[in-house]
Amino acid sequence: MKIGVLALQGAVREHVQAIQACGAEAVVVKKAAELADLDGLVLPGGESTAMRRLIDRAELMEPLREFADSGKPMFGTCAGLVLLAKEIDGQEAAHLGVMDMTVARNSFGRQVDSFEADLDIVGIDAPFPAVFIRAPHIVRAGVDVEVLCEYEGRIVLARSGPFLGCSFHPELTGDHRLMQLFLDMVENRELLPTEAHYSKI
Amino acid sequence: MSEKGTDRVKRGMAEMQKGGVIMDVVNAEQAKIAEAAGATAVMALERVPSDIRKEGGVARMADPRITEEVMNAVSIPVMAKARIGHITEARVLEAMGVDYIDESEVLTPADEEFHLLKNDYTVPFVCGCRNIGEAARRIGEGASMLRTKGEPGTGNIVEAVRHLRQVNAEVRNIVAMGEDELMTAARDLGASYEFLREVKLLGRLPVVNFAAGGIATPADAALMMELGADGVFVGSGIFKSDQPERFARAIVEATAHYQDYALIAKLSKDLGPAMKGLEMATIGAADRMQERSW
């Protein structure tokens, strides 16, 4: 199994290590051609506005949407979650827009409000340690979006068809169970629901 | 139960900056230009290093109005500088909610003997270093991110290269050492034994290390990435160039694609003059900012 990590900016190394620790092959992706023979793609944490600029300038937006359209799984953490969302609170345009949800950026506050907490995640034995850094959260989840975790009433992890997104940074801890959950989605791709899939308008 | 200000939260914030460019800005307008160009954070200050150098006088924390303006103007993280050892400036910046504090030798030190005890704060700190000993001491005090010092405000990359090569060579030495050699290295480097053990175990520094102090062109930024920096700080290089928007965009792109040389050629074309820059030999020992702090 070959998993790409979008490597324009952010916590790339940590995701590569998590993928390898789970026994899959990790590939860093900076160009469209490098998406070619991947089975899944991770959109790492970083700064979503900076990543978007670099996606545009590397002409990666359409190739990434095509990747999503093909039904290959994508996993976004923090900035990656923002990239996946169909709508961003207070912002006119979204980025990839493949997951039917609205995300609010920096919604837990500034860096001094960043925190660690243990989470209860559907399908994973509690506790799951999570690091939230200037984190976003999901303020609206579409009907096809399955909520996998809430923290203090806010949705922080969700899945929709081939897409998995979280507010926090599983890559900053040594706990690879969420990455394993994503790799299981890649492994069993044909079993994933497709209705929730991004539909071109 | 949640916990704020842990090492993981403070160091993790710097991990999210990796591969990115942090730009010095002196007002909201510049901050917006930086954000639009793809900066991963901005550093709010009153004067960029080259102006501090030129105008002289005591350089202090910026007027809170400037920092506040910048914080309101952008959604990316905002960093700000406090003088070395100036507890109150640091606490003021923390109270204002800045995302990262740079305890910086670019400002005139408030304390020539003691740095801040950065472990005491919820807000994370970045500090300068020229070698692994300085790196170890700053991390020991609680810095969550490092930057090699270079020589700020010169537009001359030579010191930035020297310091990054020095730190990385020392890291390689530590990794190659036998366990029984570490204590003597700790004595010689002025680094704690525990720190050196951690470096040996990880094979790298335990926190993110950016390059700073003299980066003026896209090729300069890419060079620092090539040499192993996790990202770059650009101070005077952008807003002292003739076309700040284009310089900012080109430096961001060159940093992300630092081994795509054809792209860097394209990005560098017709950018117009970079900041003029200073030859190191023309800077007297007393004017070298890198010598401030130990």
Side-chain angles (χ1 to χ4, degrees), chain A residues 8-10 13-14 30-31 45-47 49-50 53 57 105-106 110-112 114-116 133-134 151 169, chain B residues 2-4 6 8-9 12-13 15-18 36-38 40 75-77 97 99 204 249 253 256:
Chain A
L8 296 172
Q9 193 271 313
R13 178 181 65 209
E14 290 74 8
K30 289 192 182 215
K31 291 179 176 160
E47 284 306 319
T49 48
R53 297 290 176 277
R57 277 179 238 150
R105 292 179 60 212
N106 305 335
R110 301 195 72 97
Q111 173 59 20
V112 286
S114 294
F115 62 97
E116 289 187 50
I133 296 175
R134 290 171 40 92
Y151 177 74
H169 294 283
Chain B
S2 76
E3 209 184 339
K4 293 178 184 177
T6 62
R8 223 155 40 180
V9 164
M13 157 83 207
E15 302 287 350
M16 298 310 138
Q17 293 284 313
K18 281 188 299 194
T40 47
S75 66
I76 55 175
D99 296 301
R204 57 175 170 80
R249 277 202 306 270
E253 220 174 323

Side-chain angles (χ1 to χ4, degrees), chain B residues 240-269:
Chain B
K240 288 292 168 190
S241 71
D242 273 14
Q243 304 182 66
E245 274 109 341
R246 289 193 55 204
F247 255 83
R249 277 202 306 270
I251 288 178
V252 166
E253 220 174 323
T255 303
H257 303 283
Y258 63 92
Q259 286 180 320
D260 189 338
Y261 308 115
L263 175 72
I264 295 169
K266 200 175 101 187
L267 294 169
S268 308
K269 210 181 282 179

Side-chain angles (χ1 to χ4, degrees), chain B residues 93-190:
Chain B
L93 292 172
E94 182 178 52
M96 289 173 65
V98 304
D99 296 301
Y100 237 90
I101 297 177
D102 185 356
E103 186 186 18
S104 178
E105 70 281 2
V106 167
L107 305 185
T108 311
D111 192 325
E112 293 187 331
E113 180 114 27
F114 303 109
H115 281 72
L116 295 167
L117 184 58
K118 294 164 279 286
N119 280 321
D120 272 359
Y121 296 70
T122 304
V123 66
F125 281 82
V126 56
C127 285
C129 67
R130 288 169 297 178
N131 52 54
I132 199 169
E134 278 188 273
R137 294 189 288 274
R138 297 297 85 77
I139 292 171
E141 293 153 358
S144 309
M145 179 183 189
L146 294 169
R147 51 174 175 72
T148 44
K149 285 178 176 172
E151 187 55 43
T154 60
N156 186 342
I157 198 74
V158 67
E159 295 300 301
V161 168
R162 187 192 320 281
H163 299 158
L164 186 58
R165 279 201 180 269
Q166 177 72 25
V167 169
N168 288 344
E170 286 172 328
V171 167
R172 282 195 301 274
N173 278 343
I174 296 301
V175 173
M177 267 179 200
E179 284 273 349
D180 55 358
E181 296 172 309
L182 290 179
M183 187 56 85
T184 301
R187 180 198 62 194
D188 294 344
L189 296 167

